[in-house]
Amino acid sequence: MLKIDGITRRFGDVTALDGVSLEIGQGEFFALLGPSGCGKTTLLRIIAGFETPDSGTVTLDGQDLLARQPNQRPISLMFQSYALFPHMTVAKNVAYGLEREKLPRQEIKQRVGEVLETVGLSAHAGRKPQQLSGGQRQRVALARSIVKRPRLLLLDEPLSALDKKVRADMQLELKRLQHEVGITFVVVTHDQEEAMSLADRIAVFDTGQVRQVDEPVALYERPRTRFVADFVGANNLFEGTFGAEGAVRTEDFGLLPGRPLRELETGTRALLGIRPEKLELRDASAGRGLRGSVLDVSFYGGVSHISVDVPGRAKPVLVAVQGASEVKPGAEVKLHWKTDDAVIIPVDQ
């Protein structure tokens, strides 16, 4: 549906986007994920028509999108601040875009009523934005965006202003809405959990380039670059060289077993990544594993995070276990993992 090909955008000496190419399908929930300043919002603004790229093309259903003015594109953009009119009621806020298009009054009333029912705000139609909670204001902004029935809805950090519990509720609400209205959603976020829980596919951005595009599970379990392995979720990374044994050979820890995500030549500088939940804590007398001592144990409700100091490693190794952990700070342990649970990727990527 949406094809982005070779988009480059520079601001003086800063290259915000460097040859970005993506394809987004009809009805897809697609996330642009990356740290602040990586170029994801610039790309969103180019799609919406608020920025012009220095080179590259953007097409929607095969038609040149860049040739159209912003108000002529079948696209809605929901701003981070929601940008609601404080002097208007909820219903008036939602109807505003349709009134600007001079649609018949009865059709506006019907469409506003339908969309307020969809987002669960029918009972609040007569209220002003300041009389609503943060989550309710976000729903008004969503209703205003989808009432025009765009082909594409762009969301810039849509949940950043909400507290944690409301954010979790609205993630479910967004996903439900997207399925119900059948509009293609493109969301910009720096929140990995948000991207993983919402999106069908995720594009990970770094310094103006796309490092990987994948479904959430594949992105988490099979990162193809150092940046993705380090940025998406917690990870324990060990650097060394790829050995003939099919493991990573390190100076301080010997051979560390894992599975290469693609063919690597022996001697290639490589990185071994092990997710915290894939690590197993064993008694110090156990035969195999990395020896270390427990630094700290933190309980997060359903999960405990255990920091383990491993001699020769500057950063503690993070272990995640279900429920409350019985291990105590100061305990001597060994870390063990299955070969298939650790991934090996080239360091130069």
Side-chain angles (χ1 to χ4, degrees), residues 310-330:
V310 175
R313 181 177 164 84
K315 190 176 180 182
V317 173
L318 181 65
V319 183
V321 297
Q322 288 296 315
S325 174
E326 294 180 2
V327 71
K328 303 296 182 186

Side-chain angles (χ1 to χ4, degrees), residues 41-64:
T41 296
T42 301
L43 181 61
L44 205 73
R45 290 174 61 82
I46 286 171
I47 297 170
F50 302 138
E51 292 281 352
T52 303
D54 297 311
S55 61
T57 61
V58 181
T59 57
L60 186 68
D61 296 326
Q63 303 294 314
D64 182 10

Side-chain angles (χ1 to χ4, degrees), residues 281-286 290-295 308-309 311 327-335:
L281 281 180
R282 292 183 173 180
D283 189 82
S285 60
L290 287 180
R291 182 181 291 276
S293 59
V294 175
L295 288 175
V308 179
D309 178 40
V327 71
K328 303 296 182 186
E332 295 296 318
V333 295
K334 277 193 175 176
L335 300 170

Side-chain angles (χ1 to χ4, degrees), residues 125-346:
R127 294 190 181 183
K128 301 282 181 68
Q130 61 267 30
Q131 296 173 297
L132 305 176
S133 68
Q136 289 170 332
R137 285 197 293 270
Q138 198 233 24
R139 292 183 196 189
V140 177
L142 264 175
R144 189 176 60 182
S145 297
I146 63 179
V147 76
K148 293 183 69 176
R149 299 172 183 169
R151 295 294 318 284
L152 189 65
L153 176 58
L154 310 176
L155 303 103
D156 187 9
E157 301 277 7
L159 309 180
S160 61
L162 306 178
D163 64 51
K164 189 170 183 178
K165 188 178 185 313
V166 176
R167 187 184 301 137
D169 292 341
M170 287 310 300
Q171 285 173 1
L172 295 173
E173 187 77 8
L174 269 179
K175 194 72 175 172
R176 180 191 69 78
L177 266 173
Q178 195 260 342
H179 283 300
E180 195 167 302
V181 299
I183 296 170
T184 302
F185 278 28
V186 179
V187 59
V188 158
T189 181
H190 65 273
D191 187 319
Q192 300 149 40
E193 287 185 11
E194 191 172 292
M196 302 283 272
S197 64
L198 288 174
D200 300 312
R201 286 192 304 146
I202 301 169
V204 181
F205 278 68
D206 176 40
T207 58
Q209 295 182 327
V210 176
R211 300 301 181 190
Q212 187 170 341
V213 181
D214 243 320
E215 295 177 0
V217 174
L219 197 69
Y220 185 81
E221 294 187 347
R222 297 186 290 280
R224 294 199 291 266
T225 69
R226 173 198 282 269
F227 177 80
V228 175
D230 198 28
F231 183 74
V232 178
N235 214 341
N236 299 295
L237 303 174
F238 296 85
E239 197 167 323
T241 57
F242 185 66
E245 309 84 351
V248 171
R249 184 179 292 278
T250 65
E251 288 185 17
D252 296 310
F253 316 111
L255 283 175
L256 301 180
R259 58 185 174 93
L261 295 179
R262 61 182 178 85
E263 282 191 27
L264 295 176
E265 292 184 11
T266 301
T268 301
R269 290 180 64 221
L271 204 64
L272 184 94
I274 318 155
R275 296 292 184 183
E277 68 275 10
K278 300 294 186 183
L279 283 166
E280 181 186 343
L281 281 180
R282 292 183 173 180
D283 189 82
S285 60
R288 294 175 55 197
L290 287 180
R291 182 181 291 276
S293 59
V294 175
L295 288 175
D296 182 62
V297 180
S298 302
F299 182 56
Y300 291 92
V303 179
S304 291
H305 287 178
I306 304 163
S307 296
V308 179
D309 178 40
V310 175
R313 181 177 164 84
K315 190 176 180 182
V317 173
L318 181 65
V319 183
V321 297
Q322 288 296 315
S325 174
E326 294 180 2
V327 71
K328 303 296 182 186
E332 295 296 318
V333 295
K334 277 193 175 176
L335 300 170
H336 178 77
W337 63 90
K338 296 175 183 175
T339 299
D340 284 349
D341 286 341
V343 296
I344 299 173
I345 59 175

